[in-house]
Amino acid sequence: MDLLKEYYEKFKKLDAGEREYEKCNYEFLNENLPRFSCSVKELEEIYYFRAYTLSKHIKKNSAGKYIVTEFLNDVSWAIDTEGAISCPVGHQLSELRWFKNCGEIVKQYADFWLNHIEKLLVYNNWFCYAFYEYAEYTNCLDYAYSVADKLIEYFTLFESRNKAKCGLYKGTDNYDGMELSISSSGIRPTINSYVYANAYGIYKILESRGDERADYYKNFCENLKKEINGKLYVNDLYYNLPVENDETIDRFYPDFSNPHPDHTAKELSAYTPFYFGIPQEENAGCLKFLTDEKIFKQKYGLATADQSNPLYKFPFPHACLWNGPVWPFATSQVLRGVSEWIKVHGEKEIGGSDFADMLITYAKSQHITIEGEIRPWIDEDLDGTTGEWLARRLIVEYGRDDVGRGKDYNHSAFIDHVINGLCGVCVNGGKTDFKPILSDKIASFSLEGVVVGGKAYNVKYAENKYVVTEA
């Protein structure tokens, strides 16, 4: 029995009695998913588990077009989009680029957002960047260019609505999908990184087809990168800075924010710039905090806030807090940022062993014990010390009617960290490249049938030898 079949049958058995989903079947996964095996069985299992859960979220809306949902069940804030929520769209596209024959699904999903730009703008995200990466990896830049005017329309609104007096960009933690953080709203590293990323995605799409408008976006990115590094990186980390005293922030709700924000707080969102290649060599010192058990590192993942901060896990009657709990969304951003840094700059400040440790911890955290049985699980946020899924418990305690909503939550990435990060499959300068992140913590792995640029490859690492062949 092949690994996919073995894991698929295990997951289906665990889901006995659950409703059926159009794409969550062995045939779809068999046709689309590269095969992965690994000496670290937690990585192997969660790779297949996340492909299995992601496939549940691919559905047709009432117009007969494919979209990708965040929750499997209906939530009140996504009724009019039939379950599509723009917050995790960047993670979703990074996962889907590794599914071999999903081009039409992704095109329909992208069209959905570009035909509902105001809904795409509800959450701050990096849609254009992720869309460009998808197009580059899957040979569909012609399609990406065909919707460039729509991408520019979206970006122009996103950039202009959030411009701060200082020249950078302001936003609320809530609309980063990171509500009730310690630093609250302000000139956040997240939204500034997303403005840069979206401009960069548009630049690369335009450049790929010789469109002279590319120069504007290239210069925009170069200038914004300097501003982010020059103003938000203060001494040892990127920080969320306050806006000027007479300045307001759109969609800021005082009753749904930390009443005593600390803009000197170290937060995991500070590493968002690393995802998009914004930091320079002089900004690399902050990477050491990721492996510091007094700051971010915990048994079950990376805390979203400095554990030594007095406001760490400050009380607030809400199920989803970003003041300390481990969030797979943020972990995914960090893992991608660390892998990008290592591939470009080498292993000086942080190395392959650190990446492997974070990835393995991330995989191990994606479990739950139900009726005495340990099973793979992905949900909203968890306690970094105990591994308990927090929103799952708090929703019950608060007597809410959306109990269990977080099962198979589609708000983060994992497949991408295995294929692009660990196995090293990437595109550089328009050409397929292979830059694995190796360490003695993962003795061997293999990846079969991964498609990039229209060609299929097999990757194998064993006995300290890394080999790539065409499939």
Side-chain angles (χ1 to χ4, degrees):
M1 183 183 294
D2 80 273
L3 281 174
L4 171 60
K5 187 71 171 177
E6 180 181 338
Y7 282 117
Y8 174 79
E9 291 187 354
K10 174 182 177 178
F11 304 148
K12 286 294 287 185
K13 183 178 179 181
L14 289 169
D15 279 345
E18 187 172 277
R19 66 184 171 96
E20 295 296 318
Y21 301 88
E22 179 187 351
K23 295 300 183 183
C24 187
N25 56 65
Y26 176 76
E27 290 72 23
F28 174 79
L29 294 170
N30 183 49
E31 179 184 352
N32 288 284
L33 186 68
R35 298 296 200 273
F36 173 68
S37 62
C38 185
S39 57
V40 180
K41 292 305 171 184
E42 291 91 346
L43 294 182
E44 184 181 280
E45 179 183 48
I46 298 303
Y47 172 87
Y48 289 104
F49 174 67
R50 293 299 298 268
Y52 171 83
T53 58
L54 173 59
S55 68
K56 292 183 180 182
H57 289 271
I58 300 170
K59 75 169 192 177
K60 287 184 178 178
N61 62 12
S62 57
K65 301 296 183 180
Y66 282 109
I67 59 172
V68 182
T69 60
E70 179 177 325
F71 296 90
L72 289 179
N73 299 321
D74 293 337
V75 291
S76 60
W77 58 97
I79 296 297
D80 54 352
T81 53
E82 300 182 65
I85 299 173
S86 65
C87 182
V89 64
H91 286 322
Q92 292 168 352
L93 291 176
S94 73
E95 298 283 86
L96 285 169
R97 63 178 169 165
W98 302 114
F99 282 62
K100 302 175 190 178
N101 304 296
C102 286
E104 190 56 35
I105 290 173
V106 172
K107 287 178 183 179
Q108 291 181 20
Y109 185 42
D111 283 344
F112 170 81
W113 286 123
L114 293 174
N115 289 325
H116 298 84
I117 287 177
E118 286 298 329
K119 299 300 182 183
L120 181 58
L121 288 162
V122 168
Y123 284 96
N124 305 323
N125 59 68
W126 60 103
F127 174 76
C128 300
Y129 186 92
F131 181 56
Y132 158 67
E133 283 199 323
Y134 179 89
E136 182 183 39
Y137 277 64
T138 60
N139 277 352
C140 65
L141 280 166
D142 282 340
Y143 165 69
Y145 183 66
S146 74
V147 296
D149 289 344
K150 279 285 190 178
L151 295 171
I152 290 171
E153 179 185 349
Y154 156 69
F155 173 77
T156 301
L157 290 170
F158 181 46
E159 190 270 341
S160 62
R161 289 180 181 180
N162 297 295
K163 192 73 174 283
K165 290 183 178 180
C166 68
L168 285 168
Y169 298 89
K170 58 187 178 180
T172 67
D173 50 3
N174 185 26
Y175 288 102
D176 280 345
M178 300 178 177
E179 61 267 36
L180 297 157
S181 65
I182 291 177
S183 68
S184 190
S185 303
I187 314 296
R188 294 173 56 80
T190 43
I191 189 171
N192 284 277
S193 297
Y194 302 157
V195 172
Y196 171 89
N198 284 317
Y200 185 86
I202 294 171
Y203 152 56
K204 297 300 288 185
I205 290 169
L206 296 175
E207 181 192 50
S208 74
R209 295 302 177 263
D211 191 314
E212 62 184 13
R213 292 177 294 176
D215 289 340
Y216 169 82
Y217 291 95
K218 179 181 180 181
N219 292 332
F220 181 96
C221 290
E222 290 173 351
N223 292 330
L224 181 54
K225 179 185 284 191
K226 291 177 184 176
E227 289 289 294
I228 292 172
N229 289 329
K231 292 180 179 178
L232 295 188
Y233 195 91
V234 182
N235 297 322
D236 60 356
L237 190 63
Y238 292 96
Y239 287 93
N240 171 22
L241 304 182
V243 296
E244 295 183 18
N245 290 334
D246 61 345
E247 191 169 7
T248 59
I249 299 178
D250 185 37
R251 301 185 299 173
F252 173 69
Y253 306 110
D255 292 341
F256 194 61
S257 299
N258 178 9
H260 305 290
D262 177 7
H263 288 279
T264 69
K266 290 181 172 63
E267 294 175 305
L268 203 62
S269 56
Y271 295 92
T272 312
F274 283 86
Y275 190 120
F276 310 108
I278 294 170
Q280 305 296 308
E281 290 279 0
E282 57 266 29
N283 308 125
C286 66
L287 292 167
K288 65 178 180 290
F289 299 134
L290 294 172
T291 58
D292 190 331
E293 294 181 357
K294 295 180 180 179
I295 300 179
F296 293 120
K297 185 177 180 179
Q298 294 184 300
K299 180 179 180 180
Y300 288 94
L302 296 168
T304 46
D306 180 356
Q307 298 170 80
S308 68
N309 190 292
L311 291 174
Y312 175 71
K313 290 189 175 180
F314 66 83
F316 196 96
H318 185 64
C320 297
L321 305 175
W322 282 75
N323 57 10
V326 173
W327 278 88
F329 181 99
T331 301
S332 294
Q333 290 183 322
V334 170
L335 280 166
R336 177 66 185 275
V338 168
S339 69
E340 292 296 321
W341 183 265
I342 290 173
K343 290 173 186 176
V344 174
H345 299 276
E347 300 191 25
K348 291 176 287 185
E349 297 82 11
I350 197 163
S353 180
D354 299 310
F355 175 81
D357 182 59
M358 285 188 278
L359 183 61
I360 293 169
T361 298
Y362 182 37
K364 289 182 176 179
S365 74
Q366 294 178 60
H367 290 86
I368 194 172
T369 301
I370 297 178
E371 296 180 353
E373 182 178 27
I374 299 174
R375 58 175 291 179
W377 192 270
I378 183 65
D379 211 301
E380 296 181 71
D381 63 330
L382 62 149
D383 186 302
T385 302
T386 67
E388 178 188 19
W389 293 99
L390 292 172
R392 176 179 167 82
R393 170 172 59 81
L394 291 171
I395 287 171
V396 173
E397 290 182 1
Y398 295 151
R400 292 173 46 158
D401 60 4
D402 53 353
V403 173
R405 72 177 190 192
K407 183 180 184 296
D408 300 333
Y409 193 40
N410 189 25
H411 191 247
S412 57
F414 190 86
I415 297 165
D416 187 56
H417 303 313
V418 169
I419 299 179
N420 178 257
L422 174 64
C423 298
V425 184
C426 56
V427 175
N428 284 320
K431 297 181 180 180
T432 302
D433 199 0
F434 300 89
K435 293 186 176 182
I437 300 178
L438 307 174
S439 77
D440 58 5
K441 293 191 174 183
I442 303 175
S444 65
F445 58 77
S446 70
L447 183 68
E448 296 180 1
V450 62
V451 175
V452 186
K455 289 186 177 181
Y457 300 91
N458 295 330
V459 173
K460 186 174 182 179
Y461 174 68
E463 299 179 346
N464 296 317
K465 293 181 181 180
Y466 177 82
V467 179
V468 178
T469 57
E470 289 194 15

